[in-house]
Amino acid sequence: MNNNKYKILVVEDEDNICKFISALLEANGYQAIIAKTCLMAQSMFSSYIPDLIILDLGLPDMDGMNFLNYVRETSLTPIIVLSARSDESDKVNALDSGANDYVTKPFSTAELLARVRSSLRNSRHSADDGHFPGRKFLLGGLVIDYDARRVFLQNVEVKLTQTEYNIVALLSEHCGKVMTYSSIIKTIWGHPDGGSIKKLQVNMANIRKKLRDKPGGSNYIINELGVGYRMNNEESD
Ligand code: CA
């Protein structure tokens, strides 16, 4: 028994999906623990203290949101929500309630594993008091100096406006996590107004141009359509 393995609690009631996910996780060096109801998930969460939770929202006894709220009362354990629902408001609701990420069914194995790696990496960063060594954020060729409020790309300074800088810094502090439009707007501008989404989109378009993000490329900032933005913490290969 190798207890260096990350423990992942899979909360899902459908047998086929359960088997598929746990086989996938075990094959990739993780330990999978299965719970098929909200109540079972609560007791397994306390007894196993998992490193990550993969949570289906449609459970037989209660809505998966109940378990999400239960975990967030006491813990920052990363949670990836598994949703068959195409309704964006469910994802936004789960993210705003503290989920770190979501995957929509049907998903590919590569996609799920990428989200798992990303969430685990994100939680290791956050464990460091939310700060990075020397108050600097490093990601590929991107460097953010939080004290100087300056951003560098391949050692060349990227000239950002104050608002653009604030957005980049916010996303980097939650690197790997999807930030919903409303959570970004609230942090950057305070109370949202009618033009908030448009303002965010305009700023984001400028930021992505300055960071040389291209559609389909290996980008620093990913647009999660209809939901929000995520700073990508996957190593590109
Ligand atoms: Ca289900």
Side-chain angles (χ1 to χ4, degrees):
M1 187 78 203
N2 179 356
N3 50 18
N4 291 329
K5 286 183 179 179
Y6 281 114
K7 280 178 285 185
I8 302 182
L9 175 60
V10 180
V11 189
E12 163 67 80
D13 59 316
E14 284 163 68
D15 274 329
N16 289 341
I17 301 178
C18 257
K19 279 185 193 140
F20 171 74
I21 293 178
S22 57
L24 177 70
L25 293 175
E26 301 276 353
N28 284 276
Y30 303 105
Q31 183 190 345
I33 305 154
I34 309 286
K36 300 204 169 183
T37 63
C38 254
L39 285 176
M40 210 169 143
Q42 290 184 9
S43 92
M44 290 184 134
F45 174 72
S46 333
S47 40
Y48 288 95
I49 315 171
D51 300 291
L52 174 81
I53 297 164
I54 297 176
L55 173 65
D56 179 34
L57 289 179
L59 295 167
D61 57 339
M62 277 181 260
D63 191 295
M65 286 297 292
N66 283 286
F67 180 61
L68 197 158
N69 293 328
Y70 171 84
V71 171
R72 278 293 169 267
E73 277 173 23
T74 58
S75 151
L76 292 173
T77 308
I79 300 175
I80 300 173
V81 163
L82 218 52
S83 174
R85 312 169 189 192
S86 52
D87 188 356
E88 303 298 356
S89 68
D90 282 327
K91 296 170 191 166
V92 171
N93 188 19
L95 290 166
D96 282 340
S97 299
N100 295 65
D101 212 336
Y102 66 89
V103 176
T104 307
K105 295 177 191 173
F107 49 85
S108 71
T109 58
E111 187 185 0
L112 182 64
L113 288 172
R115 300 298 164 93
V116 165
R117 283 195 301 271
S118 171
S119 293
L120 286 170
R121 198 175 305 135
N122 183 227
S123 75
R124 287 204 302 277
H125 279 311
S126 321
D128 185 24
D129 201 22
H131 295 320
F132 297 90
R135 295 285 293 143
K136 276 198 173 73
F137 173 84
L138 312 168
L139 179 73
L142 180 70
V143 177
I144 302 172
D145 182 334
Y146 293 123
D147 294 330
R149 295 175 58 87
R150 296 169 79 187
V151 174
F152 300 85
L153 190 60
Q154 320 290 2
N155 298 318
V156 178
E157 181 161 15
V158 181
K159 294 285 181 194
L160 298 176
T161 66
Q162 289 298 317
T163 302
E164 288 165 5
Y165 172 82
N166 290 339
I167 294 170
V168 171
L170 176 68
L171 291 176
S172 72
E173 280 162 8
H174 301 271
C175 187
K177 184 186 189 310
V178 183
M179 304 289 291
T180 62
Y181 300 127
S182 70
S183 70
I184 298 172
I185 289 165
K186 257 184 242 156
T187 308
I188 302 297
W189 288 286
H191 292 292
D193 61 54
S196 299
I197 289 257
K198 186 76 200 153
K199 270 195 287 189
L200 177 59
Q201 285 170 338
V202 168
N203 275 280
M204 202 56 85
N206 290 332
I207 290 167
R208 298 179 80 195
K209 208 179 295 164
K210 290 177 185 182
L211 295 182
R212 289 182 236 136
D213 276 357
K214 294 176 211 69
S218 173
N219 293 331
Y220 291 110
I221 295 171
I222 293 169
N223 185 5
E224 302 284 349
L225 279 181
V227 177
Y229 295 97
R230 167 217 308 274
M231 187 162 277
N232 184 12
N233 66 350
E234 273 288 292
E235 293 121 358
S236 49
D237 40 27

